Amino acid sequence: MRIATTIFLTDETIRPDRLARELEQRGFHGLYLPEHTHIPAARETPAPMGEPLPDEYGRCLDPFVALGQAAAVTEGLRLGTGITLVAQHDPIDLAKRIATLDFLSGGRFTLGVGFGWNVEEAADHGVHWATRRDLVRDRMALMRALWAPEPTAYEGPFGSVRASLAHPKPAGGAPRVLLGGAAGPRLFADLTAYADGWLPIGGHGLGEALPALRTVWTAAGRTGEPAVVPYAVRPTPGKLAHYRDLGIGEVVLQLPPAGEPEVLRTLDDYAQYL
C-alpha cells in the first residue's frame, strides 16, 4: 500500500521544497495540499472539524505554487490537492494551472476536488451555496474541453469556452481526479460522472460504503475499479491493516502543521508504515 502525506503548509511551517525532498528521500509516495484562499473573520458557518477553527486554515499557502516548488526539487514524488475548491476558481485559469503543473512534473499531479464547507468564503467568490455542486460539475466539464487534444468548445449552464488553442496539455491527457465528500447517492453520482475515484476524509465506514460505490460505478458504465484513497488519516497499524484488507492501494497520512523539526520527527515515525 502506497503511503502519501498531507499537511497544511503555511507561512509558519516547514517549507514545501524542504518537505518534498525529505518525503522523497524517505520513500513516501506523495504530497497532497489543501486550499483556502481566505477565512472571513465574521463567520457564521460552523467548522466541521470543531471550533475554534485552527489558525492554519487562514494561513495556508496556495497549493499550486507550493506544489510547483515541490515538483522542482523531486523526481518521482506524486503531487496532489486535497482538495481544490473548484467552484471558487475561474475554470479557464484553473485548467491552465493544472495542465502546467502536470506537464512540468511529468504527469505526477492528482486533482482532489471538493465542494467546501465555508459558506462565507465561497460567497466572497460569488458562489451561490445551493448550486455549488452543479457549478463544480460544469467547471470540470469546461476544463476537460480545454485539456482535449483538439480545440473543443463547451457550453454549459454556468460557463462556456470557445474551441481554443490551450497548451500545455496535462501529461496524460488529463490528471487523475479524486472527489472528496461524505458517502451517499449524490456524491457517488458526481463521482461516476467526472472523477476517477473517491478521497474520503479519515476513511471511516469504508467497509459499508465501498460496495455501494462499486454498484453505482458499474451501473454508470464505468469500467475497472474506482480509486479510493483515505485522506488525512491518523495512522495506527490496525487501521492500515484494515485498509489493506479492503483492497485500498493508497492512504494519505496527516502531518502536523508545524515547523521542520516536528514534521521530520513525524515522518520518521510514519516510516514504519512504508
Side-chain angles (χ1 to χ4, degrees):
M1 189 165 61
R2 300 179 298 278
I3 303 297
T5 60
T6 184
I7 182 175
F8 273 91
L9 288 178
T10 77
D11 55 330
E12 297 178 331
T13 67
I14 186 172
R15 290 174 55 87
D17 54 340
R18 286 288 299 130
L19 176 58
R21 286 193 181 100
E22 294 291 339
L23 288 168
E24 186 157 80
Q25 289 171 6
R26 286 167 166 79
F28 285 90
H29 178 69
L31 172 63
Y32 291 74
L33 298 181
E35 173 184 53
H36 283 285
T37 53
H38 67 300
I39 301 293
R43 174 175 53 86
E44 297 181 4
T45 307
M49 68 294 299
E51 298 287 353
L53 185 69
D55 289 345
E56 60 264 23
Y57 280 78
R59 306 188 75 102
C60 56
L61 304 182
D62 179 283
F64 291 96
V65 175
L67 289 171
Q69 189 181 71
V73 298
T74 56
E75 296 182 358
L77 187 73
R78 299 289 174 168
L79 312 164
T81 53
I83 50 66
T84 297
L85 296 165
V86 171
Q88 297 180 187
H89 288 270
D90 176 285
I92 299 174
D93 177 67
L94 182 59
K96 173 69 78 172
R97 294 169 76 186
I98 291 168
T100 300
L101 178 56
D102 196 57
F103 171 76
L104 291 177
S105 68
R108 289 189 273 154
F109 180 66
T110 290
L111 175 64
V113 174
F115 304 113
W117 60 266
N118 191 331
V119 177
E120 290 80 15
E121 178 185 358
D124 284 348
H125 288 277
V127 175
H128 297 285
W129 194 250
T131 60
R132 74 192 189 286
R133 288 175 176 267
D134 295 331
L135 176 60
V136 169
R137 183 185 288 227
D138 186 64
R139 288 186 170 172
M140 289 300 301
L142 190 154
M143 290 195 295
R144 288 190 185 277
L146 289 167
W147 297 332
E150 299 297 332
T152 301
Y154 176 77
E155 182 75 34
F158 295 94
S160 62
V161 67
R162 296 172 175 82
S164 302
L165 302 176
H167 293 269
K169 303 296 183 184
R176 181 177 68 156
V177 175
L178 301 177
L179 185 60
R186 188 170 188 184
L187 179 84
F188 291 166
D190 286 330
L191 193 156
T192 57
Y194 60 82
D196 303 300
W198 184 25
L199 196 67
I201 294 179
H204 178 72
L206 283 181
E208 296 76 26
L210 286 179
L213 171 58
R214 290 172 179 139
T215 297
V216 174
W217 185 264
T218 302
R222 300 292 297 267
T223 59
E225 285 279 320
V228 177
V229 183
Y231 185 78
V233 170
R234 308 285 183 175
T236 66
K239 187 183 294 185
L240 296 187
H242 174 62
Y243 293 152
R244 290 190 185 94
D245 291 342
L246 291 174
I248 300 298
E250 180 183 358
V251 174
V252 182
L253 306 186
Q254 181 70 59
L255 293 171
E260 187 167 321
E262 183 177 348
V263 171
L264 296 187
R265 284 194 298 270
T266 305
L267 289 184
D268 290 337
D269 180 48
Y270 286 176
Q272 66 183 294
Y273 304 118
L274 296 175

